[in-house]
Amino acid sequence: MKNKNHLLAAVSLISIILLCGRVTFTENFGGIFLTWNLFLAWVPFGIACIVEDLAQHHFIHQRGVLLGAAAWLLFFPNAPYLITDLIHLRASPDHLIWYDALMSFSFALAGLLTGFYSVLKIHALLEDYYSRITSWLLIGGSLVVASYGIYLGRFGRWNSWHVATHPLSLVRYIGNNLLHNPVALQLTLAFSFVMLSTYGAFWVLARSKAE
C-alpha cells in the first residue's frame, strides 16, 4: 500500500519538478495552474483512502460506503481532467513545445494514475457489498458520469463545488446542454470509451498482480 502511494507521489513530484524547471528558466508562471489541477486530482484519492479506512475499521457499512463513493465521484473528474490541459500546448512557443508536451503529459499521467487507483479502491469496497456484475455496473456508470463531468469542467467551466454553491444553475445548464448540444454527447461518449477501456486494462493488471 505505502509503496503504491509513494509511487503515485513520485510521479506527481516529477511533474512539479518539470514545471519548476520551466518557471526557473523562462521566468514565466503561465503553467502554474497545473499544480492546482494536480492537487484537485489527489482529492478523490484522499476521499477513497478515508472511505476505505473507515470501512476496514467498521465505522461505516454499506450505506456509508455508498455515501463515500458519491463524495468520491463528485471530485473524481478532476483527475482525468488533467488530460484536457494538453489543449494549452497550442499556446507554447516553438522552442518549448517539446518540453511543454513532456511536462503536460507527466501531469496528465499523474492525474490518471492517481484517479484510477482511487477507482480501484472504491471498486473493491463496492465488491464487499455487491456482486461483481453490480459493482462493475456502478463503476462503469460512475466513469460515464465522470466523463460528462470532464466536459462540464473544460467547456462549461463548472467545478465540483458548484454542486453545493450553484446547484439549480448547474442542473439547468446540464438539462439544456444535453438536449441542445450534440458535441456534449459526442465528447462524453468518446471520454467514456477511453475511460472504460483504460480502467478495464488497469483493473486486469491490478488483479493479475494481486493473484
Side-chain angles (χ1 to χ4, degrees):
M1 177 70 71
K2 289 184 178 180
N3 289 337
K4 293 178 181 178
N5 293 350
H6 291 163
L7 179 60
L8 292 175
V11 175
S12 293
L13 181 60
I14 290 171
S15 304
I16 294 173
I17 290 173
L18 287 172
L19 177 59
C20 290
R22 190 188 193 285
V23 171
T24 299
F25 290 107
T26 64
E27 298 182 352
N28 186 310
F29 290 88
I32 203 70
F33 66 90
L34 289 170
T35 57
W36 173 248
N37 289 349
L38 182 59
F39 167 76
L40 291 177
W42 274 85
V43 172
F45 177 78
I47 294 174
C49 288
I50 292 172
V51 176
E52 180 186 54
D53 189 62
L54 291 174
Q56 288 178 348
H57 290 86
H58 306 292
F59 289 117
I60 60 174
H61 299 285
Q62 183 175 0
R63 185 174 298 178
V65 168
L66 285 177
L67 290 174
W72 161 83
L73 179 58
L74 181 62
F75 289 92
F76 172 69
N78 293 305
Y81 176 85
L82 278 159
I83 298 174
T84 68
D85 282 328
L86 293 170
I87 195 173
H88 297 292
L89 287 175
R90 61 188 180 185
S92 296
D94 291 342
H95 67 286
L96 286 175
I97 186 66
W98 293 112
Y99 187 92
D100 286 351
L102 180 63
M103 181 183 70
S104 297
F105 175 78
S106 69
F107 274 94
L109 180 62
L112 279 177
L113 290 177
T114 305
F116 280 147
Y117 193 40
S118 76
V119 180
L120 278 179
K121 288 180 175 292
I122 297 298
H123 196 165
L125 288 172
L126 292 175
E127 286 187 332
D128 289 338
Y129 300 99
Y130 301 98
S131 67
R132 174 165 291 187
I133 293 177
T134 301
S135 300
W136 265 108
L137 288 174
L138 291 171
I139 288 297
S142 297
L143 293 177
V144 172
V145 171
S147 296
Y148 182 63
I150 297 171
Y151 171 86
L152 287 176
R154 172 52 63 191
F155 298 98
R157 308 310 297 166
W158 293 93
N159 296 309
S160 299
W161 47 86
H162 285 146
V163 173
T165 59
H166 298 87
L168 295 180
S169 297
L170 178 58
V171 170
R172 284 195 295 267
Y173 178 88
I174 291 174
N176 292 329
N177 186 250
L178 289 177
L179 289 174
H180 305 294
N181 187 359
V183 175
L185 181 60
Q186 293 166 4
L187 289 179
T188 298
L189 290 175
F191 274 123
S192 297
F193 174 75
V194 173
M195 294 274 283
L196 289 167
S197 57
T198 305
Y199 174 69
F202 196 80
W203 182 87
V204 169
L205 289 173
R207 286 302 176 94
S208 62
K209 183 178 180 180
E211 293 174 358

